[in-house]
């Protein structure tokens, strides 16, 4: 009997397991893939996420992968260039972009060191029920067998196509469909300074320096763009050109080092976050288009929120219900406003209002800092006070 079974061992699940295990709970962490394993992602972690990694004492290990600190940001849109230092936040001097096979493995190993029973190669296929309450999971094991385990709480941290969400019938609180498709690959020989963002008519792009001297270049296009295996490379390069001619020139001088990755499954939704004996964290409960690169940072923040709400209540059903309600309400309150902004950004056609804000940031350093802090998802209260200063300025 475990206190908590966490299904899914990447940034949401491994972080949840790590934080709960450090509080002394008995945790089983089940992951379908064999680690280290990669997943579709453009890697960028904003400052609040980097700060969490520092507070959880795993940042040194993440930095040791060789991913450079991304301490400058530049944002290009037709006729404008915003460039400056990435705002510092807590222990973070900028963003970071470790490869996912490295980040997720570091988190899962840290959870295991904290006492969680981490089992990879294990895929959850069913739930155990006591009446209407989830009481455990059934899963397949690496050797081809099946097993089951019981717990007071099952956490679904199993991504946007969550098995746990499907098995408990977690309803969508809202679903805003898909807005973009993403194409990305890794390049060598690109000169770049920090995180580069590009926004052109019907295309967005990001240049993200990562480990081994490589730079990930992501291009996002409207969802109805016909992208097939045959034309993906052409769509990618044409999209880079649309996002910004400078970017297309930069790519022409670089060398593509890996295959082109393509992702069309980018829904925008909130699912109900909890029920009797279960709770969802990370993409399983709330997914958004990756154009704002918030999924990893949000998964880490939600893991911390959930572990904080649960605190010592895991063993007491009535306190647990209250803690889960608090987590769900806070998740929806905190993540709805940035979700709306992200939806607007994912439409890939900046409004005149947006452009005006960006133009102001071109000449006004305080305003620029405000824009960069908003991009990084730096918490609201701090932004509001900076906004007030910017108005006075
Ligand atoms: C193309 C693309 C680009 C992105 N770029 C960025 C970016 O730059 N920055 C950013 O912050 N975010 C980005 N994201 C989003 C980010 O990758 C996700 O938000 C983040 O990975 C969510 O973490 P998670 O742990 O909730 O889910 P996931 O990373 O999806 O992990 C879920 C895990 O659960 C496991 N699992 C699934 N089902 C089962 C089961 N039945 N049993 C056991 N295990 C199971 C899976 O194997 C998987 O390892 C991007 C996403 C995509 C698709």
């Amino acid at each position: 009997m475990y206190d908590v079974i966490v299904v899914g061992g990447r940034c949401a699940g491994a972080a949840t397991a790590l934080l709960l295990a450090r509080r002394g709970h008995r945790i089983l962490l089940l992951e379908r893939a064999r680690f280290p394993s990669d997943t579709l992602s453009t890697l960028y972690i904003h400052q609040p996420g980097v700060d969490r990694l520092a507070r959880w004492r795993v940042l040194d290990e993440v930095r040791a992968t060789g991913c450079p600190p991304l301490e400058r940001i530049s944002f290009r849109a037709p006729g404008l260039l915003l460039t400056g230092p990435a705002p510092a936040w807590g222990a973070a001097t900028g963003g970071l972009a470790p490869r996912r096979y490295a980040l997720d493995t570091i988190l899962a190993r840290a959870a295991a060191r904290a006492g969680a029973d981490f089992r990879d190669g294990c895929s959850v296929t069913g739930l155990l029920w006591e009446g209407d309450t989830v009481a455990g999971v059934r899963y397949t094991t690496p050797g081809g067998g099946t097993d089951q385990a019981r717990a007071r709480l099952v956490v679904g941290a199993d991504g946007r196509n969550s098995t746990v969400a499907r098995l408990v019938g977690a309803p969508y609180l809202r679903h805003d469909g898909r807005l973009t498709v993403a194409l990305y690959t890794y390049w060598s020989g690109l000169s770049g300074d920090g995180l580069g963002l590009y926004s052109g008519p019907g295309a967005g792009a990001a240049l993200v320096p990562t480990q081994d001297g490589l730079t990930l270049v992501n291009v996002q296009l409207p969802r109805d763009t016909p992208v097939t295996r045959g034309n993906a490379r052409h769509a990618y390069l044409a999209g880079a050109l649309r996002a910004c001619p400078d970017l297309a020139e930069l790519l022409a001088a670089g060398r593509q080092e890996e295959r082109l990755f393509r992702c069309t499954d980018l829904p925008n939704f909130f699912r109900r976050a909890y029920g009797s004996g279960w709770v969802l964290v990370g993409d399983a409960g709330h997914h958004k288009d990756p154009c704002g690169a918030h999924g990893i940072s949000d998964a880490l923040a939600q893991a911390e929120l959930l572990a904080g709400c649960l605190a010592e209540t895991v063993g007491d059903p009535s306190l647990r219900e209250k803690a889960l309600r608090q987590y769900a309400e806070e998740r929806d309150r905190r993540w709805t406003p940035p979700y709306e902004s992200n939806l607007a950004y994912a439409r890939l056609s900046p409004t005149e209002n947006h452009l005006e804000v960006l133009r102001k940031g071109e000449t006004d350093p305080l305003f620029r800092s405000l824009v960069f802090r908003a991009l990084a998802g730096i918490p609201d209260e701090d932004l509001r006070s900076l906004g007030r200063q910017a108005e006075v300025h």
Side-chain angles (χ1 to χ4, degrees):
M1 177 80 177
Y2 291 91
D3 292 321
V4 179
I5 296 173
V6 182
V7 184
R10 294 194 187 271
C11 39
T16 304
L18 166 68
L19 297 175
L20 290 174
R22 280 191 183 159
R23 284 172 188 265
H25 297 299
R26 280 163 304 152
I27 308 297
L28 175 62
L29 175 60
L30 296 172
E31 164 56 48
R32 176 186 285 159
R34 295 313 295 258
F35 274 16
S37 123
D38 216 349
T39 187
L40 283 173
S41 178
T42 54
L43 315 178
Y44 188 71
I45 311 176
H46 290 283
Q47 292 87 320
V50 174
D51 179 50
R52 285 198 167 81
L53 296 175
R55 284 195 278 109
W56 301 346
R57 304 187 298 279
V58 291
L59 182 60
D60 288 347
E61 221 181 316
V62 173
R63 283 204 177 120
T65 62
C67 60
L70 303 176
E71 293 173 345
R72 288 192 69 76
I73 305 181
S74 57
F75 187 100
R76 288 175 177 77
L80 80 87
L81 167 63
L82 223 71
T83 182
W89 177 253
T93 55
L96 271 188
R99 296 290 293 253
R100 289 299 297 272
Y101 59 76
L103 173 73
D104 297 328
T105 305
I106 289 168
L107 286 168
R109 286 201 183 129
R113 278 199 304 274
D117 181 358
F118 171 51
R119 300 189 199 167
D120 60 352
C122 292
S123 183
V124 169
T125 51
L127 297 176
L128 307 176
W129 294 85
E130 276 171 17
D132 292 340
T133 300
V134 173
V137 299
R138 276 196 198 87
Y139 60 97
T140 57
T141 58
T146 56
D147 208 341
Q148 60 181 47
R150 305 187 80 81
R152 300 174 207 278
L153 182 67
V154 172
V155 177
D158 48 348
R160 59 192 181 280
N161 298 311
S162 166
T163 303
V164 174
R166 178 174 53 76
L167 293 171
V168 298
Y172 288 112
L173 300 177
R174 64 182 285 185
H175 198 303
D176 296 280
R178 294 170 170 74
L179 293 171
T180 73
V181 298
L183 294 162
Y184 69 89
T185 186
Y186 296 86
W187 296 77
S188 60
L190 300 192
S191 56
D193 181 17
L195 175 71
L197 301 171
Y198 303 83
S199 172
L207 193 146
V208 189
T210 179
Q211 298 163 215
D212 308 317
L214 297 179
T215 300
L216 183 155
V217 180
N218 178 44
V219 171
Q220 284 189 248
L221 301 165
R223 137 198 95 180
D224 48 9
T225 313
V227 180
T228 59
R229 190 176 294 191
N231 77 356
R233 189 175 159 78
H234 172 75
Y236 177 69
L237 294 174
L241 182 65
R242 260 213 323 276
C244 181
D246 291 0
L247 176 61
E249 247 173 63
L250 199 66
L251 295 188
R255 189 182 134 116
Q256 186 180 332
E257 298 289 354
E258 295 192 21
R259 75 179 175 88
L260 186 62
F261 296 87
R262 173 168 61 114
C263 187
T264 54
D265 178 26
L266 299 171
N268 295 280
F269 64 74
F270 280 82
R271 285 190 177 110
R272 182 171 174 191
Y274 81 105
S276 192
W278 61 270
V279 61
L280 303 176
V281 68
D283 281 5
H286 161 50
H287 189 266
K288 63 251 150 206
D289 192 283
C291 61
H294 283 289
I296 302 168
S297 308
D298 288 355
L300 301 178
Q302 286 172 21
E304 189 172 74
L305 175 65
L306 178 60
C309 288
L310 284 174
E312 310 309 323
T313 68
V314 169
D316 180 327
S318 66
L319 289 178
R320 193 168 63 226
E321 153 72 24
K322 196 167 156 219
L324 293 178
R325 189 168 356 108
Q326 189 192 352
Y327 162 75
E329 286 171 2
E330 183 62 14
R331 185 203 68 171
D332 295 351
R333 188 192 67 75
R334 213 194 278 181
W335 273 279
T336 299
Y339 175 78
E340 299 287 359
S341 316
N342 197 67
L343 281 178
Y345 194 38
R347 293 201 173 91
L348 302 177
S349 47
T351 61
E352 198 35 53
N353 238 356
H354 277 126
L355 291 172
E356 202 179 310
V357 168
L358 294 170
R359 275 194 286 269
K360 193 162 174 199
E362 246 184 327
T363 50
D364 181 334
L366 196 59
F367 212 78
R368 181 162 62 237
S369 164
L370 183 69
V371 170
F372 287 166
R373 287 163 75 100
L375 277 178
I378 285 177
D380 237 356
E381 206 18 72
D382 217 67
L383 261 187
R384 268 198 288 274
S385 77
L386 195 72
R388 283 193 290 272
Q389 283 177 42
E391 276 163 29
V392 172
H393 187 74

